[in-house]
Amino acid sequence: MALRARVLYDFHSENPGEISIAENELVTLFNEEELEGWLEGENSRGEAGLFPASYVEIIRDHITSGANDNGFSSPKAKALTPTHASYTSTEVHSQRGSGGGSYHTSQGSDDDWDDDWDDSSPATNAPHGLGSNPPPYPVMSSLPGRRESAQQQHQAKSSATVGRNLNRFSTFVKSGGEAFLLGEASAFVKDGDRICVVMGKHGPEWQEDPYPFTCTIDDPTKQTKFKGMKSYMSYGLTPTHTNVQVNRRYKHFDWLYARLVERFPVISVPHLPEKQATGRFEEDFISKRRKGLIWWMNHMTSHPVLARCNVFQHFLTCGADEKAWKQGKRKAERDELVGANFFLTICTPAVPLDLQEVESKIEGFKTFTKRMDENSVVVNTTINEFARKQAAGFKKEYQKVGQSFKLLAQAFELDQQAYSVGLNKAIAETGEAYEAIGEYFAEQPRQDLDPISDLLDLYRGHLANFPDIIHVQKGALTKVKDCPKQEGDLHDRCNIISCATLAEIQHFHRTRVRDFRSQMQHHLRQQISFFQKITAKLEDVLRRYDDDQ
Amino acid sequence: MALRARVLYDFHSENPGEISIAENELVTLFNEEELEGWLEGENSRGEAGLFPASYVEIIRDHITSGANDNGFSSPKAKALTPTHASYTSTEVHSQRGSGGGSYHTSQGSDDDWDDDWDDSSPATNAPHGLGSNPPPYPVMSSLPGRRESAQQQHQAKSSATVGRNLNRFSTFVKSGGEAFLLGEASAFVKDGDRICVVMGKHGPEWQEDPYPFTCTIDDPTKQTKFKGMKSYMSYGLTPTHTNVQVNRRYKHFDWLYARLVERFPVISVPHLPEKQATGRFEEDFISKRRKGLIWWMNHMTSHPVLARCNVFQHFLTCGADEKAWKQGKRKAERDELVGANFFLTICTPAVPLDLQEVESKIEGFKTFTKRMDENSVVVNTTINEFARKQAAGFKKEYQKVGQSFKLLAQAFELDQQAYSVGLNKAIAETGEAYEAIGEYFAEQPRQDLDPISDLLDLYRGHLANFPDIIHVQKGALTKVKDCPKQEGDLHDRCNIISCATLAEIQHFHRTRVRDFRSQMQHHLRQQISFFQKITAKLEDVLRRYDDDQ
């Protein structure tokens, strides 16, 4: 008897191999087993293909057990499954709780480039599993070898000598790391797509970009469409290697981000600054988002792999030609070298890494990220509190002193003898100076504490990425260690994953040292000029006491 | 029938004209009417003279009314009568409440120079009206024409054409102002005792001291006597005009203060720093008292009248010779030129002042002192609160930021790659710098806020003195205005009081402008060097970031 399922939510196919299904429709399943959250079957119109497993309910007339007992999640449980892997369930908590709060990620996109969804609408059509909304489903494009049919994958499985991971939702599997390790990835890699890991002084590292560039982001401008019915913010980006400005909206950044995440399984794509539905035209928010995008851009252009990748270049260089944009967009969305195939693009140093050493480095980094994340939370909380205190308490105290000096001057002004007048004025001005100093204190945190806070937010985004990255590498390492025979190919592929992971870690450290050094320097310079400004104010007012002595 | 009274408390005569009386003794009164708190009569040993009215109870076998109904206070009520006059009962409240809290005054003294009373004992033998202790009595030496007998005074009264003030406890009366105005003061004034008021640019002023001097006060040393059973603090004073150090205890200052108060009715004698019974050998208290005494001394030596007066010179110059000291002490206590007679010593400018103008100046000053006192309270409260905040909140905030930076450094130290180490150290040192800055904030108020607070305390002592001074002047002015005939002598004497009062007000303003100017300058200079110290600290730590870039 053919297994059937009832469709719970509408699903519109977006990619080849997918089929559209409608709520309440009955579909026939070819196989009860899910493949990365997808089922294969036929809809009522006779079209065969894939659809999200969580969008249907399998009809079991008298069968109560089955696929749900084999370690896969039921659709409902799946809706609750975290979409990020973690070291352990306890470890992930602080990572998620901290890094996830301020940066937003979205996956997938569609062709609604010209519809009226705006920065406030969900940036992706992947439905969210809340209330009557459909649950999320895995992004098709991140499926290992998603261009192959499920049958082909099954054949590949049977030819492998190493067992598959039973947890279809582990990052190792989802990222394509497992598929690659098992030799299931296959795609044509052009020379231009090659990504080299070289052996540097401190271990594997991404080969430097021979043509480094940066990109400025101008103050966004408010644009309108539909005769002013809809408005949005547009950012002017000017990359230094073309020196031509292009205009992008936040949703374009969001789309790009989603492409990068699926494209690069072991690269920490910087999180975009937080979304905000309301008040997104308010000055504060706009300025904050722009600062966040500048940080983001800075991390993008300084990453040797991300900076050079096609989709980012398309984003940075494609002008106002709508057709060219769509072409590049479709090309990026159909990129074969995503997930498992990404690893095919990696060239490693001639000498393979020592497994033991890799493991120890990864362990060390795990400890590092955990501690950095914890302590970043403390720093962020402390400096935000300090900023709040300066804006409130410090300001108030200086202003109260200022006001009391002004009161003293007012009392003294009741004596208007010639030798009194100069002092009276000087004391009144001292009062004003203290009030001004109060203002300085209130305004200072914008200059030297907020940037540190922004930097910590960005880094906590990276820290939230690394558990997944490490998971992929550890998954590969575990597989290799479990392998009964020392298969050369398996080792080679594991070495590729290790090289890429360590190169990414190296890049993280280098960027971190660069960013924190420059940010701390900036902070101190700002503090110094802040205290110098106060000193100058006081010196100025001190001179008033000499006026008529 | 001779009126008799029963003695309630022992009283030992100290001055000529007084008689000693013993508890429960019966004395005969010559007259029921008190004269400035004193009664005249004969004791059981047949000695005739004055004794404090509050020390006896008049025996009225069947008489229930009498002296107590004529507007004078009964002995009990007298014990509760404030010893300072005030502008009005509502006005005095803030003056008393503010100025009286931190400075102490005491009147009278005796010869117990070598007994074991110490700084913690009452500095005067004038009994206080609490419990079974005798009530206070007016200081004899401030009685108008106290060397004359009561009879003589009564004769003087009958010869005057202007009525007496009925309130025997008004400052105008107590200070001797009234007696002087009525022409009852008489004493031999040597040239050296003359005090000149000259007409300066801004009105009457005390003639400048042709030989100005200052006096340093060394750190006090702890002295013991009775084989170490008793200990006390001794201050080494070195006046610049002799350059010889003399040693004085706090009680000597206290004795001097009492002499000055009775000697100079319209001069604002600076209040001594607060007494403290416990903990008076503690470093903080000693340092605070010394600072207070330095301020006090500074006000003494810069006052043209106080600086030159005999009792102060005796205090500053008499060495360790016990006999010489006692001699000077007795001489000061028997000084005739106190109270009413003080006014005899004053030389005025040739042209008498315009009464209207005097009145308006005095009114203006009254308003001034009231406002200055009120606003000084605000300034003092504010800066003390500011000091507290710096020692607590500000310090804590900077230290929390410092600690969080150190935590960040600790996390970063888990990465010990060569290019990381320099940054890790620099961030740790930044943390330390912030902790140090927290300490700077906590310590700073001692340097630049406490001195302002001390100055305000001293000035609030002066402000508390002025109601009495103004009261004397206004009393004289009222009397003159009420006078049916324009008596030349009365006007002349009123002019003397006005000149002295205005000279003292002028001196107050000059000193105030000088002190507040220099204290505000000191404050600002300290603040400037404080912020420069912070800047230097930050600049120092900023350089650490360049170490290995």
Side-chain angles (χ1 to χ4, degrees):
Chain A
M1 168 191 151
L3 195 62
R4 303 185 63 152
R6 195 175 62 248
V7 178
L8 299 170
Y9 312 102
D10 286 351
F11 171 71
H12 302 286
S13 79
E14 292 170 14
N15 296 295
E18 296 170 5
I19 54 170
S20 294
I21 52 177
E23 194 176 345
N24 288 323
E25 188 180 348
L26 287 182
V27 293
T28 308
L29 303 183
F30 295 167
N31 192 310
E32 194 179 338
E33 199 179 330
E34 295 176 23
L35 191 71
E36 330 301 0
W38 296 81
L39 286 167
E40 198 170 12
E42 191 182 287
N43 64 14
S44 54
R45 295 185 302 283
E47 296 164 342
L50 296 167
F51 47 82
S54 56
Y55 275 43
V56 302
E57 190 184 40
I58 295 172
I59 299 161
R60 306 178 189 282
D61 296 326
H62 53 275
I63 310 160
T64 51
S65 74
N68 284 352
D69 290 337
N70 65 358
F72 300 173
S73 299
S74 72
K76 269 196 184 161
K78 209 178 303 167
L80 299 169
T81 306
T83 54
H84 288 86
S86 60
Y87 301 135
T88 71
S89 62
T90 51
E91 270 178 349
V92 81
H93 191 261
S94 72
Q95 308 271 359
R96 188 68 38 81
S98 54
S102 49
Y103 278 83
H104 141 92
T105 73
S106 75
Q107 297 176 317
S109 180
D110 61 6
D111 270 339
D112 58 356
W113 232 220
D114 299 304
D115 73 358
D116 67 356
W117 68 251
D118 213 325
D119 299 356
S120 59
S121 330
T124 152
N125 75 334
H128 296 286
L130 290 167
S132 62
N133 292 327
Y137 56 86
V139 175
M140 271 302 275
S141 46
S142 70
L143 274 171
R146 55 182 280 275
R147 303 283 172 249
E148 309 160 71
S149 76
Q151 276 86 350
Q152 281 174 311
Q153 288 217 0
H154 279 235
Q155 283 156 13
K157 176 188 169 185
S158 56
S159 69
T161 54
V162 178
R164 269 180 191 277
N165 193 322
L166 284 184
N167 180 4
R168 301 285 91 190
F169 301 100
S170 89
T171 313
F172 178 46
V173 177
K174 286 198 298 169
S175 68
E178 188 192 42
F180 169 71
L181 194 75
L182 299 180
E184 292 167 8
S186 90
F188 176 68
V189 178
K190 292 185 303 244
D191 274 356
D193 289 328
R194 298 239 171 265
I195 295 165
C196 285
V197 175
V198 296
M199 189 51 72
K201 200 170 142 194
H202 307 284
E205 54 190 45
W206 300 118
Q207 190 169 44
E208 289 271 322
D209 186 347
Y211 309 109
F213 65 95
T214 56
C215 178
T216 58
I217 301 183
D218 287 350
D219 274 328
T221 52
K222 195 169 178 174
Q223 307 286 334
T224 55
K225 58 182 183 179
F226 302 136
K227 294 178 184 167
M229 296 283 283
K230 286 277 172 187
S231 57
Y232 57 93
M233 301 307 296
S234 175
Y235 298 85
L237 316 183
T238 313
T240 55
H241 62 330
T242 63
N243 209 24
V244 175
Q245 178 172 315
V246 296
N247 292 302
R248 295 290 176 256
R249 293 172 59 182
Y250 184 81
K251 70 171 186 179
H252 298 149
F253 283 90
D254 209 41
W255 170 83
L256 171 63
Y257 175 79
R259 299 285 78 66
L260 296 168
V261 166
E262 67 181 13
R263 176 74 170 78
F264 300 111
V266 292
I267 287 178
S268 174
V269 180
H271 290 200
L272 284 170
E274 203 172 358
K275 275 203 157 194
Q276 181 173 312
T278 56
R280 70 203 148 88
F281 300 122
E282 284 163 20
E283 217 172 300
D284 253 21
F285 170 67
I286 289 166
S287 144
K288 194 171 159 55
R289 175 179 273 184
R290 179 172 163 254
K291 278 195 294 174
L293 289 177
I294 290 170
W295 272 117
W296 182 87
M297 184 59 84
N298 178 274
H299 268 221
M300 285 298 298
T301 57
S302 67
H303 195 293
V305 179
L306 295 177
R308 278 186 291 180
C309 80
N310 293 332
V311 61
F312 184 50
Q313 287 298 328
H314 176 61
F315 174 86
L316 287 180
T317 58
C318 185
D321 178 354
E322 195 65 21
K323 210 172 154 191
W325 173 262
K326 284 208 178 180
Q327 211 166 15
K329 184 169 177 292
R330 280 181 197 284
K331 194 176 159 221
E333 283 164 359
R334 286 171 187 167
D335 189 354
E336 284 218 321
L337 301 175
V338 299
N341 290 351
F342 158 75
F343 294 107
L344 297 174
T345 65
I346 292 172
C347 316
T348 59
V351 182
L353 302 174
D354 176 65
L355 279 193
Q356 209 80 42
E357 207 178 304
V358 171
E359 201 167 9
S360 132
K361 276 190 176 182
I362 296 284
E363 271 309 310
F365 186 66
K366 223 176 89 174
T367 312
F368 177 91
T369 51
K370 189 166 175 289
R371 182 75 71 87
M372 178 170 167
D373 189 65
E374 285 164 5
N375 293 6
S376 295
V377 176
V378 177
V379 178
N380 221 352
T381 309
T382 307
I383 64 177
N384 284 327
E385 179 63 14
F386 188 46
R388 209 183 60 73
K389 284 273 167 66
Q390 286 188 60
F394 281 50
K395 174 180 168 185
K396 205 179 73 191
E397 288 306 316
Y398 276 94
Q399 296 201 330
K400 270 162 62 185
V401 172
Q403 282 151 17
S404 81
F405 281 156
K406 280 164 87 178
L407 275 181
L408 189 66
Q410 279 165 28
F412 282 7
E413 277 158 20
L414 292 177
D415 177 42
Q416 279 292 335
Q417 294 180 89
Y419 62 79
S420 253
V421 174
L423 176 69
N424 303 347
K425 280 191 195 152
I427 294 178
E429 284 180 36
T430 308
E432 280 161 22
Y434 270 89
E435 288 180 329
I437 291 169
E439 284 297 338
Y440 295 172
F441 267 101
E443 284 159 16
Q444 189 53 23
R446 269 174 189 272
Q447 310 303 324
D448 56 22
L449 290 176
D450 288 3
I452 295 184
S453 186
D454 292 343
L455 184 68
L456 288 169
D457 278 346
L458 182 73
Y459 269 86
R460 286 168 63 213
H462 282 303
L463 294 173
N465 289 340
F466 273 103
D468 279 358
I469 294 170
I470 289 173
H471 199 92
V472 172
Q473 199 279 333
K474 288 199 121 183
L477 214 61
T478 309
K479 275 273 188 299
V480 170
K481 283 203 267 183
D482 291 351
C483 177
K485 301 175 200 161
Q486 295 289 315
E487 288 186 43
D489 282 357
L490 200 69
H491 265 105
D492 287 351
R493 289 193 290 267
C494 178
N495 187 53
I496 286 173
I497 295 178
S498 297
C499 280
T501 307
L502 289 184
E504 184 59 15
I505 289 174
Q506 189 66 243
H507 177 74
F508 170 84
H509 278 313
R510 282 209 181 272
T511 313
R512 172 183 62 81
V513 169
R514 175 200 69 182
D515 287 349
F516 278 87
R517 185 189 300 276
S518 77
Q519 203 48 61
M520 290 302 285
Q521 284 174 323
H522 170 81
H523 170 79
L524 289 170
R525 285 193 193 105
Q526 287 290 327
Q527 278 278 300
I528 288 166
S529 73
F530 165 64
F531 285 116
Q532 281 170 341
K533 188 164 74 168
I534 294 178
T535 305
K537 187 89 194 166
L538 294 171
E539 278 168 344
D540 187 42
V541 88
L542 175 60
R543 276 190 290 273
R544 312 302 302 228
Y545 285 85
D546 301 327
D547 274 4
D548 59 350
Q549 246 190 334
Chain B
M1 167 190 153
L3 198 61
R4 303 185 63 150
R6 194 172 63 248
V7 176
L8 299 170
Y9 312 101
D10 286 352
F11 171 71
H12 302 286
S13 79
E14 290 170 15
N15 296 293
E18 296 170 6
I19 55 171
S20 293
I21 52 179
E23 194 175 344
N24 289 323
E25 187 180 347
L26 287 180
V27 293
T28 306
L29 303 183
F30 295 166
N31 193 310
E32 195 177 339
E33 200 178 330
E34 291 173 26
L35 191 72
E36 329 301 0
W38 296 82
L39 285 168
E40 199 171 12
E42 191 182 288
N43 65 13
S44 56
R45 292 185 304 283
E47 296 163 342
L50 298 166
F51 46 82
S54 56
Y55 273 45
V56 302
E57 190 184 40
I58 295 171
I59 299 161
R60 305 178 191 282
D61 296 329
H62 51 276
I63 310 161
T64 52
S65 76
N68 284 351
D69 289 337
N70 64 359
F72 299 171
S73 299
S74 70
K76 269 195 181 161
K78 209 178 304 168
L80 299 168
T81 305
T83 54
H84 288 84
S86 60
Y87 302 134
T88 70
S89 62
T90 51
E91 270 178 350
V92 78
H93 192 260
S94 71
Q95 307 270 1
R96 188 67 37 82
S98 55
S102 49
Y103 277 83
H104 139 91
T105 72
S106 75
Q107 297 175 318
S109 180
D110 63 4
D111 269 337
D112 59 355
W113 232 221
D114 300 302
D115 74 357
D116 65 358
W117 70 251
D118 213 325
D119 297 359
S120 59
S121 330
T124 153
N125 75 332
H128 297 286
L130 291 166
S132 62
N133 292 327
Y137 55 86
V139 175
M140 270 304 274
S141 46
S142 71
L143 273 173
R146 56 183 278 275
R147 301 288 172 247
E148 307 162 72
S149 76
Q151 274 86 350
Q152 281 175 308
Q153 287 215 0
H154 277 234
Q155 283 155 13
K157 176 188 170 184
S158 56
S159 69
T161 56
V162 179
R164 272 181 187 278
N165 193 322
L166 286 182
N167 180 4
R168 302 286 89 193
F169 301 100
S170 89
T171 314
F172 178 45
V173 177
K174 286 198 297 170
S175 68
E178 187 192 42
F180 169 72
L181 193 75
L182 298 181
E184 292 166 9
S186 90
F188 177 69
V189 178
K190 290 184 304 240
D191 273 356
D193 290 328
R194 297 239 169 264
I195 295 166
C196 285
V197 175
V198 296
M199 188 51 72
K201 201 170 141 194
H202 307 284
E205 54 189 45
W206 300 117
Q207 188 167 47
E208 290 272 321
D209 187 347
Y211 308 108
F213 65 94
T214 55
C215 178
T216 59
I217 301 183
D218 287 351
D219 273 329
T221 52
K222 196 170 178 173
Q223 308 286 333
T224 55
K225 57 183 184 178
F226 302 136
K227 294 175 182 168
M229 296 282 283
K230 287 277 172 189
S231 58
Y232 58 92
M233 301 307 294
S234 176
Y235 298 85
L237 316 184
T238 313
T240 54
H241 62 330
T242 61
N243 211 22
V244 175
Q245 179 172 314
V246 297
N247 290 302
R248 296 288 177 258
R249 293 170 61 180
Y250 184 82
K251 69 171 184 179
H252 298 150
F253 284 89
D254 210 40
W255 170 82
L256 171 63
Y257 175 79
R259 297 285 78 66
L260 296 168
V261 166
E262 67 180 12
R263 176 73 171 79
F264 300 111
V266 292
I267 287 179
S268 174
V269 180
H271 290 201
L272 284 170
E274 202 172 359
K275 277 206 153 188
Q276 180 172 316
T278 56
R280 71 202 144 88
F281 299 123
E282 284 164 20
E283 217 172 298
D284 254 20
F285 169 67
I286 289 165
S287 144
K288 193 171 161 58
R289 175 179 273 185
R290 180 174 161 253
K291 278 195 292 173
L293 288 177
I294 289 171
W295 272 117
W296 182 85
M297 183 59 85
N298 178 273
H299 269 221
M300 285 297 299
T301 57
S302 68
H303 195 293
V305 179
L306 296 176
R308 279 185 290 180
C309 81
N310 292 332
V311 60
F312 184 48
Q313 287 298 329
H314 174 63
F315 173 86
L316 288 179
T317 57
C318 184
D321 179 355
E322 195 65 22
K323 210 172 154 192
W325 173 261
K326 286 207 179 181
Q327 210 165 13
K329 184 171 177 292
R330 279 182 198 281
K331 192 174 159 225
E333 284 163 0
R334 286 174 189 166
D335 189 355
E336 283 218 322
L337 301 174
V338 299
N341 290 351
F342 158 74
F343 293 106
L344 297 176
T345 64
I346 293 172
C347 314
T348 59
V351 182
L353 303 175
D354 175 67
L355 279 193
Q356 208 80 42
E357 206 180 307
V358 171
E359 201 166 10
S360 134
K361 278 190 175 181
I362 296 284
E363 271 309 309
F365 186 66
K366 224 176 91 172
T367 312
F368 177 92
T369 52
K370 188 165 176 290
R371 182 75 72 86
M372 176 170 169
D373 190 65
E374 285 165 4
N375 293 6
S376 295
V377 175
V378 177
V379 178
N380 220 353
T381 308
T382 307
I383 64 177
N384 284 327
E385 179 62 14
F386 188 47
R388 207 183 60 73
K389 285 272 167 67
Q390 287 188 58
F394 282 50
K395 174 180 167 184
K396 204 178 75 191
E397 289 306 315
Y398 277 93
Q399 295 200 331
K400 270 162 62 185
V401 172
Q403 281 152 17
S404 81
F405 282 154
K406 281 165 87 177
L407 275 180
L408 189 67
Q410 278 166 28
F412 282 7
E413 276 157 21
L414 292 177
D415 176 43
Q416 279 293 335
Q417 292 181 93
Y419 62 78
S420 255
V421 174
L423 176 68
N424 303 346
K425 278 190 196 151
I427 294 178
E429 283 179 36
T430 307
E432 280 161 22
Y434 270 89
E435 288 180 330
I437 291 168
E439 285 296 340
Y440 295 172
F441 267 102
E443 284 160 16
Q444 188 56 21
R446 270 175 187 272
Q447 310 303 323
D448 56 22
L449 290 177
D450 288 2
I452 295 185
S453 185
D454 291 344
L455 184 67
L456 288 169
D457 279 345
L458 182 72
Y459 269 86
R460 286 169 64 214
H462 281 305
L463 294 173
N465 289 340
F466 273 103
D468 280 358
I469 293 171
I470 288 173
H471 199 92
V472 172
Q473 200 280 332
K474 289 199 121 185
L477 215 61
T478 309
K479 275 271 189 299
V480 169
K481 283 203 266 182
D482 292 350
C483 177
K485 300 176 201 161
Q486 294 289 314
E487 287 187 42
D489 283 359
L490 200 70
H491 266 106
D492 287 352
R493 288 193 291 266
C494 178
N495 188 53
I496 287 174
I497 295 178
S498 296
C499 282
T501 307
L502 289 185
E504 183 60 14
I505 290 174
Q506 190 65 244
H507 177 74
F508 171 84
H509 278 314
R510 284 210 180 270
T511 314
R512 173 183 62 81
V513 169
R514 176 199 70 184
D515 286 349
F516 278 87
R517 185 190 299 276
S518 77
Q519 203 49 60
M520 290 302 285
Q521 285 174 324
H522 170 81
H523 170 79
L524 288 170
R525 286 194 192 103
Q526 287 290 327
Q527 278 279 298
I528 288 165
S529 72
F530 164 65
F531 285 116
Q532 282 171 340
K533 190 165 74 167
I534 294 178
T535 305
K537 187 89 194 168
L538 294 170
E539 279 168 343
D540 187 44
V541 88
L542 175 60
R543 278 190 288 274
R544 312 301 303 225
Y545 285 85
D546 303 325
D547 275 5
D548 58 350
Q549 246 189 331

